[in-house]
Amino acid sequence: MATPHEIVTQKRAAALQRLAARGYDAPSKVFIGMATCEIAAGSKEVMEVFQEALKGGLKNVYVSQKGCFGRCNLEPTVDVIKKGKKPVTYGKVTVDRAKEIIEKHIIGGKAIAEYIIK
Amino acid sequence: MEQPGSDTHLHNRSHAIFGDMSFFSKQMRIALRNCGTIDPDSIDDYLQARGYEALAKVLTEMTPPAVIDEIKKSGLRGRGGAGFPTGFKWELTAREQNEEKFIICNADEGDPGAFMDRSAIEGDPHTVIEGMLIAGYAVGAQQGIVYIRAEYPLAVQRLERAIVAARAEGFLGENILGSSFSFDIEIRLGAGAFVCGEETALMHSIEGFRGMPRPRPPFPSVQGLFGKPTVINNVETWANIPVIILDGAEWFGSIGTEKSKGTKVFALAGMINNTGLVEVPMGTTLRDMIYDIGGGIPNGKKFKAIQTGGPSGGCLSEQYLDTKIDYDSLAQAGSIMGSGGMIVIDEDSCMVNIAKFFLEFTQNESCGKCTPCREGTKRMLEILVRITEGKGEQGDIEKLERLGTTIKKASLCGLGQSAPNPVLSTIKNFRVEYEEHIHQKKCRSNFCDYLLTYTVTDKCVGCTLCRRVCPSAAVTGTPKLRHEIDQMKCIKCGLCFKSCKFSAITKTSH
């Protein structure tokens, strides 16, 4: 019989497959802060911008929510993780900024230095 | 597939993503390792981050006593604030011969300005479940309960989803992962009484009674929920368990100070540039916390005090800035570690008023069962109110001190035993402010309304606005000429000061 360890290893492999099926391997990953504090600061609207963009044909981007990572005064925060590049975290992301991030960073490939949390 | 930091140590994960941010450079994330790096609603994300591997490890290759030994060896102490060694707590319960035992997660976070537990559950609910499972296996319990505030709807929702997902994957329920170990978790909502964070009151509340503490011993580890042996730990403690199991007690014990191992999560709030959720190794100094991680005090103001441990803690002045953050050093300095609230106070705040604020809170939340807490805090608050209203008398400070020490000694539970701390520590560190309030009727921070004098200066253009807003007709004057405030009629409401568009009204305290 399989040991608990083997079972979890299998479960993990299955989870990775499911993630991959959901597009986790995409060249661009976007994580949007969706804890209570982030939502209060307006992250739901930001999430909608990304969801709309996906519906509108934005390809090769994995969009997910994430928990609070601790920068209360700079919320909502959005991480953009591009394959082979340093992850970037944007602060105080508004609807307009979100659109700009999609346009310039995700599609255009150029991070917007001004909004990045240092 | 890209898996940041998942190669060796669990705790590296968030640093792999955020490590070069200055805010994170002095931090170390163990309990919060997944907060902000995974989707909390997806068990796949948690599994990807080596989730439930610690559970598998204990079920596969460790006996219950070995698990307890590992936790003991790690030196982990309770993160709820009291700092009782976690491994010992588990051992006491494991030793009991009883068919039924309970594991409780205390997520009744009540300190004003604290949001560690909420963020931890909202960001990574599965780690709490895994921690509880491991304890269940170690002490021989089958049932876990998470006691969480109803005011945290999102945290409750995410935890519920996590429990459902864990059940579906076979991490909760009968014969977990093919072993003989069975365990399940249910959620109980608290109605937001501060005292229910106290373990015995919390258990009364789960049992359906009014949330009131009872004397200990017997301790919950022997006689807890429904009279059964119970392990109760705080959210952050649970979040540490899987990491200790996977990365090892030795590694965990290498972090921190001699008697306080690992890291501690703090909710940094108040007059500070980078408010936020911070996890630092024990032994980090308050100065590093405030200036390096917190980015200092905004608007060029001066640091005055730091309040740690919420309403049960104390205020430390500038001379304590180099105090190390660990259970014993903070206690020695006259405050406590507490569950992780950290409020920075700048020169604009009046320390007497801060003490009053916290005491008002604990006084309101006192359950009323024991006299020292119920009556004592009430009397202390009356004296404080008097002092801030300019009616302080000779001997008030001594009265506060005497009452405070008595309440600490005689109260039944942690709430009462710690309620006087904000007052006693501000008297110790800022006595001169109390004396000024009492003897000179002066508030150096210009905060206590009753001790202020409002005056109109030459900047006044005679717009009549202040005259119109004054509820006691204390302002007189004709349009376009400088107005005057009759000090005898002034009720110090401050409306004129707030309404003036020309900054022509000043408030001073002698």
Side-chain angles (χ1 to χ4, degrees), chain A residues 11 18 34 36 65 73, chain B residues 41 44 122 158 169 273:
Chain A
K11 284 187 186 294
R18 281 194 298 268
M34 291 288 271
T36 299
Q65 59 171 358
N73 55 328
Chain B
D41 273 334
D44 293 343
E122 281 177 2
R158 291 207 173 137
E169 286 286 342
N273 276 316

Side-chain angles (χ1 to χ4, degrees), chain B residues 241-289:
Chain B
I241 303 294
V243 190
I244 294 174
I245 297 295
L246 282 187
D247 288 353
E250 218 162 283
W251 165 79
F252 190 85
S254 69
I255 306 158
T257 60
E258 197 196 332
K259 285 184 180 158
S260 305
K261 301 298 187 191
T263 56
K264 179 77 193 83
V265 179
F266 289 97
L268 199 53
M271 289 311 184
I272 186 123
N273 276 316
N274 302 336
T275 52
L277 195 67
V278 186
E279 182 170 355
V280 289
M282 299 275 189
T284 305
T285 63
L286 289 170
R287 190 184 298 279
D288 282 348
M289 190 73 156

Side-chain angles (χ1 to χ4, degrees), chain B residues 163-239:
Chain B
I163 291 173
V164 170
R167 266 190 212 128
E169 286 286 342
F171 294 121
L172 286 174
E174 302 283 316
N175 298 99
I176 293 164
L177 301 176
S179 70
S180 58
F181 171 58
S182 301
F183 190 83
D184 212 338
I185 294 178
E186 62 176 277
I187 297 177
R188 288 296 176 94
L189 297 186
F194 182 63
V195 75
C196 286
E198 198 279 335
E199 53 186 21
T200 59
L202 185 152
M203 289 176 203
H204 279 165
S205 169
I206 294 178
E207 288 166 4
F209 299 108
R210 190 170 158 190
M212 279 180 157
R214 63 156 173 82
R216 296 171 304 181
F219 285 93
S221 33
V222 177
Q223 213 174 317
L225 188 62
F226 298 110
K228 309 286 180 190
T230 304
V231 171
I232 174 164
N233 280 129
N234 159 275
V235 172
E236 193 189 330
T237 314
W238 292 123

